[in-house]
Amino acid sequence: MLHYSALQNRLDKLIGTIGLNETIAQLGKLIESYSTVNSCAEYRNTKTIAGYLQLCLTQQLDAPYWFPPDERSEKASHARMVAYHLLKDRFGLNYRLIAELFGTTPHMVGYYCRKAREVHNLPNLDRTFISLYQTIAQELSGFLSGKERRSQQQ
């Protein structure tokens, strides 16, 4: 097991060999490559979760397909509010990434997330939305716990 002092000694030796600027550049590349690997895996998981949300919502709303960005029906509005808000609230995704996943703009994602928050603050305002949200949130939790169990078994 390496201790901090061993790490410091190795860094000092590396700096003495290739210089401070090159050491910083190499460490930056190493950190960036590690972050990219994690980001790719997280993005694949995020795409899977977004796809699952789309599937659940189209089934719950008895829709033949996911709603195109220009559809303005109540079903489409509820589906977007649920999907975008769950991804933002439960997974901490930013508007840009959610927009990319659903083929819309970050502005529209923000709009639907704000509407979902408003309805959550006044649940009697739209009971249909609240019921749909709770159903999808439970299905998503079941999906994620099942996914976690499968990965632990492997």
Side-chain angles (χ1 to χ4, degrees):
M1 183 163 133
L2 291 177
H3 295 282
Y4 178 78
S5 60
L7 174 63
Q8 186 63 51
N9 289 337
R10 290 181 182 192
L11 279 173
D12 288 341
K13 186 176 180 180
L14 184 62
I15 292 169
T17 305
I18 63 173
L20 179 61
N21 289 338
E22 186 60 26
T23 301
I24 291 171
Q26 293 300 319
L27 285 173
K29 287 178 186 175
L30 177 67
I31 291 167
E32 186 177 310
S33 69
Y34 177 75
S35 297
T36 302
V37 168
N38 284 341
S39 296
C40 289
E42 288 171 11
Y43 184 71
R44 277 194 302 276
N45 288 339
T46 302
K47 283 179 71 172
T48 302
I49 291 166
Y52 182 75
L53 283 171
Q54 286 178 330
L55 177 68
C56 288
L57 284 161
T58 53
Q59 288 175 347
Q60 280 290 323
L61 296 170
D62 199 29
Y65 52 83
W66 182 251
F67 306 96
D70 59 343
E71 185 169 333
R72 302 284 181 238
S73 68
E74 184 178 27
K75 282 184 178 183
S77 179
H78 282 172
R80 289 185 191 105
M81 288 183 347
V82 169
Y84 301 168
H85 189 265
L86 280 171
L87 288 170
K88 177 73 177 152
D89 188 52
R90 299 259 173 112
F91 301 99
L93 300 184
N94 61 42
Y95 293 160
R96 183 194 52 75
L97 181 55
I98 297 170
E100 186 180 310
L101 290 167
F102 287 89
T104 189
T105 65
H107 173 76
M108 291 308 296
V109 172
Y111 169 79
Y112 284 108
C113 283
R114 282 188 297 280
K115 283 194 58 95
R117 277 194 304 273
E118 288 172 11
V119 175
H120 271 284
N121 290 335
L122 300 168
N124 291 332
L125 184 66
D126 192 344
R127 291 175 194 243
T128 306
F129 167 77
I130 296 296
S131 174
L132 177 65
Y133 189 94
Q134 290 170 342
T135 300
I136 298 300
Q138 286 176 341
E139 287 187 26
L140 180 61
S141 294
F143 173 73
L144 293 173
S145 65
K147 189 175 182 182
E148 288 170 9
R149 272 189 255 117
R150 282 192 300 276
S151 66
Q152 288 172 356
Q153 291 172 350
Q154 293 175 352

